[in-house]
Amino acid sequence: KHTGLTKEQEQIVLETELECEKNVLMPRRKMIEILEYAKELGKKVSIISNMYLPEDILDNVLKEMHIYGYDKIYVSCDYGVSKEGGLFEVYLQDRKDMNCLHIGDNFTADVQAPLRYGIDSYGIKSALDMVKISNFANILPWADTCNEKNLLGLAAAELFNDPFALYHTGGVVHIDSFEKAGKIFAAPLAVIYILELISYLKKNPMYQKVIFGARDEAVFLKLYNKLREKSERNRDLPEALYLLVSRKLCIRASMKTEDDIYRLKIHADLERPESALIDIMGMSEDKVTSYNKESCADIMDYYIAYKDRILKKSKIVRERYIEYLKECGLYLDQKYLFCDFISQGTVQYSLNRIFSQPMDGFFLCKYIGKNPFPIHSESIYTDPWQGGSILFEKHCFLETIFSSADPSVEDIDEGGMPVFSKEIRTEEEINHMCKEQQGIEMYFWDYYENLWVEGAEIKKKIPEALVYMCDEVEYTGECKDVRKMKLYNDLTNDYREILKE
């Protein structure tokens, strides 16, 4: 009456609202199990709801969620009374002389109200109420805008889908599946990374291609390509390319001067400096003399003695790598954006020693050491060498989630084919990582397609705060051995703990 809508327009509005409602509903699986268990025991199960949508619509919504087994729906808008105002009285007219139990998550309407009519009640908690009594409660104050609340809400809905998830935990959240770990700790970072990247590219349309570097950018490439393909407004974004890179390969290919050799000293094992010549430059161990402090007081003098061999080796690798770049459709004089994960910029700097047109960088988190690389890059998070972002502290944990299923590339052979390092991870570890990445994709598309509001802010603090919680949870089920996992660093050939024991 107020808007002057036609009957046809009314129907469009109704269908649009219902579609939105269905898209953001998530059934609580444990409660469905309880419903089915009650039916197996021969109980009559009814649905009682304070809701403005009538019985026939609610019935359809429930069936679409594969929820069956109830005999009737009592909804307040059909009877003109709420639970608190008499809906339970209507229900009891059909249930004379029966003992009844009502289960719900609203203390006033679902716990107190039925007691006044002689109905027993049992209160469960909503996901939001469970967040408030868990060790994730400190994150709630950070969520202000709708995008922030939805980002955190989607995580909460996953963590507390089971209303009994905190039973006997003292409020400490348990992570029992790798898919869930991917959704909680990594997916919000993927959301903010991709959305910020798209925003940056639209403001800076000068790049011929976007390069996602191996191995940590494989997930982001997949999300970017699908987003560009599915969304009309993103079709004008530059084409993306997955490039085989590693610190080892790029350092090996970019040695041109004596100053470049200084980088070997930066990455050297001080206990065994010769390892940089063998492991990073790929020299034969029998052709490298062990470092001797007495004959070479300074490590740099030791490397300079190998200067000609280093530069010759690097030139060969560089020429092979340039051929590989051409095969990928990259040209040394074109402008590209290089996307990196959590890094000091070693790979981008090394690539810029190969390309005649320097690349710009786009980082999730850039670590700025005492002697930062002279590169131009944007970074969502920044970690100065004194300490800043929690992401750099947790980068080993995050790398085990975001990495590729392929091993690291370390060289290019005579035929122009990449040479990969020996795979250190077990098949089980790779499978676990794939499950985490499936969780990232599920969360990302659920959020982007159903919950994200373009133009509303997302604070960087919320994904960062969720990453911080990776050390504060209990790992159970298939995740029970997560704290024993280590990350192999192929540049320094050592293992690093990913979480606190």
Side-chain angles (χ1 to χ4, degrees):
K1 290 178 181 177
H2 286 294
T3 61
L5 293 175
T6 65
K7 288 294 180 186
E8 290 77 13
Q9 290 169 330
E10 283 180 23
Q11 190 62 29
I12 292 171
V13 171
L14 175 61
E15 289 173 0
T16 302
E17 180 178 349
L18 288 175
E19 187 64 28
C20 179
E21 181 85 31
K22 291 173 185 176
N23 286 341
V24 298
L25 286 176
M26 184 182 293
R28 300 187 85 174
R29 294 178 290 275
K30 186 61 68 174
M31 299 311 299
I32 297 174
E33 287 178 25
I34 291 173
L35 185 154
E36 292 170 348
Y37 176 64
K39 289 301 293 182
E40 286 174 11
L41 294 177
K43 311 294 183 185
K44 285 188 177 296
V45 179
S46 299
I47 307 292
I48 306 177
S49 175
N50 277 348
M51 188 61 174
Y52 58 87
L53 296 175
E55 178 187 352
D56 59 336
I57 291 179
L58 288 186
D59 185 60
N60 179 257
V61 169
L62 290 168
K63 284 181 169 54
E64 286 193 18
M65 296 276 178
H66 306 290
I67 299 173
Y68 310 99
Y70 50 88
D71 66 319
K72 189 171 181 180
I73 298 176
Y74 297 82
V75 59
S76 56
C77 68
D78 286 343
Y79 294 95
V81 288
S82 65
K83 292 178 182 179
E84 302 94 315
L87 188 57
F88 287 113
E89 191 172 359
V90 174
Y91 164 76
L92 286 173
Q93 290 173 5
D94 295 334
R95 299 288 180 262
K96 289 184 172 61
D97 302 322
M98 284 188 179
N99 292 323
C100 303
L101 169 68
H102 183 70
I103 303 172
D105 65 9
N106 184 293
F107 183 72
T108 303
D110 296 325
V111 179
Q112 290 183 322
L115 292 174
R116 294 202 298 269
Y117 296 93
I119 298 173
D120 291 338
S121 62
Y122 184 89
I124 61 168
K125 291 189 180 297
S126 67
L128 175 59
D129 286 337
M130 292 179 73
V131 174
K132 292 175 181 177
I133 62 170
S134 77
N135 58 335
F136 276 62
N138 63 314
I139 302 176
L140 277 175
W142 291 103
D144 293 323
T145 69
C146 58
N147 277 343
E148 292 161 2
K149 290 177 180 179
N150 289 341
L151 194 74
L152 187 55
L154 192 55
E158 179 66 32
L159 285 174
F160 304 117
N161 184 279
D162 180 353
F164 312 108
L166 291 176
Y167 185 63
H168 282 179
T169 70
V172 175
V173 166
H174 285 209
I175 301 294
D176 58 2
S177 77
F178 286 97
E179 182 185 294
K180 185 182 291 185
K183 288 179 178 179
I184 304 307
F185 302 126
L189 282 176
V191 167
I192 201 166
Y193 185 86
I194 292 296
L195 293 180
E196 290 280 343
L197 173 61
I198 288 170
S199 175
Y200 175 81
L201 287 169
K202 290 191 173 181
K203 292 174 186 173
N204 300 275
M206 66 279 206
Y207 301 107
Q208 269 75 35
K209 288 182 181 177
V210 180
I211 297 174
F212 291 87
R215 296 182 294 164
D216 302 328
E217 292 290 310
V219 178
F220 299 119
L221 169 78
K222 196 172 182 181
L223 295 174
Y224 178 88
N225 276 340
K226 192 171 178 180
L227 197 63
R228 187 169 170 262
E229 177 188 310
K230 289 179 71 171
S231 175
E232 188 69 38
R233 63 176 178 268
N234 293 323
R235 297 263 167 83
D236 59 341
L237 291 172
E239 180 186 341
L241 178 83
Y242 185 66
L243 187 67
L244 290 176
V245 294
S246 69
R247 289 175 298 169
K248 182 181 287 188
L249 172 61
C250 292
I251 291 171
R252 187 178 291 186
S254 61
M255 298 280 176
K256 293 182 176 180
T257 67
E258 191 171 300
D259 288 341
D260 293 326
I261 297 173
Y262 182 77
R263 279 185 287 154
L264 288 180
K265 181 179 178 181
I266 295 173
H267 297 294
D269 177 354
L270 296 180
E271 297 296 319
R272 192 169 172 265
E274 59 270 19
S275 65
L277 298 175
I278 299 165
D279 297 328
I280 297 179
M281 290 309 303
M283 293 184 179
S284 299
E285 192 166 354
D286 58 355
K287 301 259 179 94
V288 174
T289 306
S290 298
Y291 173 71
N292 189 323
K293 288 183 181 179
E294 294 179 5
S295 59
C296 247
D298 189 274
I299 294 175
M300 194 59 194
D301 292 336
Y302 171 71
Y303 290 136
I304 292 301
Y306 288 88
K307 173 183 172 182
D308 292 342
R309 289 172 60 187
I310 290 172
L311 298 184
K312 182 180 178 181
K313 170 76 174 179
S314 184
K315 184 181 179 184
I316 293 170
V317 178
R318 182 164 59 253
E319 288 173 351
R320 293 174 180 174
Y321 193 58
I322 288 172
E323 288 303 311
Y324 163 74
L325 294 172
K326 289 178 182 177
E327 287 291 322
C328 293
L330 296 176
Y331 301 92
L332 303 186
D333 59 351
Q334 289 193 353
K335 190 69 174 175
Y336 302 114
L337 182 68
F338 179 73
C339 293
D340 210 342
F341 187 53
I342 300 172
S343 172
Q344 298 184 66
T346 304
V347 171
Q348 184 188 338
Y349 174 77
S350 300
L351 288 173
N352 285 351
R353 299 286 292 152
I354 299 172
F355 280 75
S356 56
Q357 174 70 264
M359 294 181 182
D360 292 339
F362 190 88
F363 291 55
L364 174 67
C365 178
K366 184 178 179 182
Y367 176 73
I368 303 173
K370 292 183 181 180
N371 300 299
F373 289 109
I375 55 175
H376 179 267
S377 60
E378 296 290 324
S379 184
I380 299 172
Y381 299 90
T382 303
D383 194 336
W385 66 273
Q386 300 94 334
S389 170
I390 197 71
L391 299 188
F392 193 77
E393 181 186 327
K394 305 296 182 189
H395 77 276
C396 290
F397 171 73
L398 291 170
E399 279 189 36
T400 64
I401 297 176
F402 280 102
S403 192
S404 162
D406 297 319
S408 181
V409 64
E410 62 177 39
D411 210 338
I412 303 292
D413 67 18
E414 293 180 14
M417 298 301 293
V419 177
F420 293 96
S421 302
K422 181 182 177 182
E423 181 59 79
I424 301 297
R425 298 166 298 179
T426 66
E427 186 176 345
E428 184 180 39
E429 287 173 333
I430 294 173
N431 288 337
H432 291 164
M433 181 193 69
C434 291
K435 288 182 182 179
E436 290 169 320
Q437 293 180 6
Q438 287 170 5
I440 292 171
E441 291 184 52
M442 290 166 65
Y443 180 105
F444 181 91
W445 293 115
D446 197 357
Y447 181 81
Y448 183 79
E449 294 179 336
N450 298 317
L451 300 169
W452 179 59
V453 179
E454 189 170 7
E457 184 186 4
I458 304 178
K459 285 191 194 75
K460 297 187 290 184
K461 187 68 181 175
I462 291 176
E464 191 178 32
L466 287 168
V467 171
Y468 172 81
M469 296 304 296
C470 70
D471 262 328
E472 309 300 317
V473 301
E474 188 75 25
Y475 292 96
T476 60
E478 66 177 2
C479 299
K480 65 182 183 336
D481 293 327
V482 163
R483 292 193 187 276
K484 297 177 184 177
M485 290 174 60
K486 296 183 186 298
L487 176 71
Y488 180 72
N489 186 321
D490 64 340
L491 189 66
T492 55
N493 293 319
D494 60 2
Y495 287 89
R496 300 180 182 181
E497 291 185 351
I498 68 169
L499 291 171
K500 297 174 187 173
E501 277 287 354

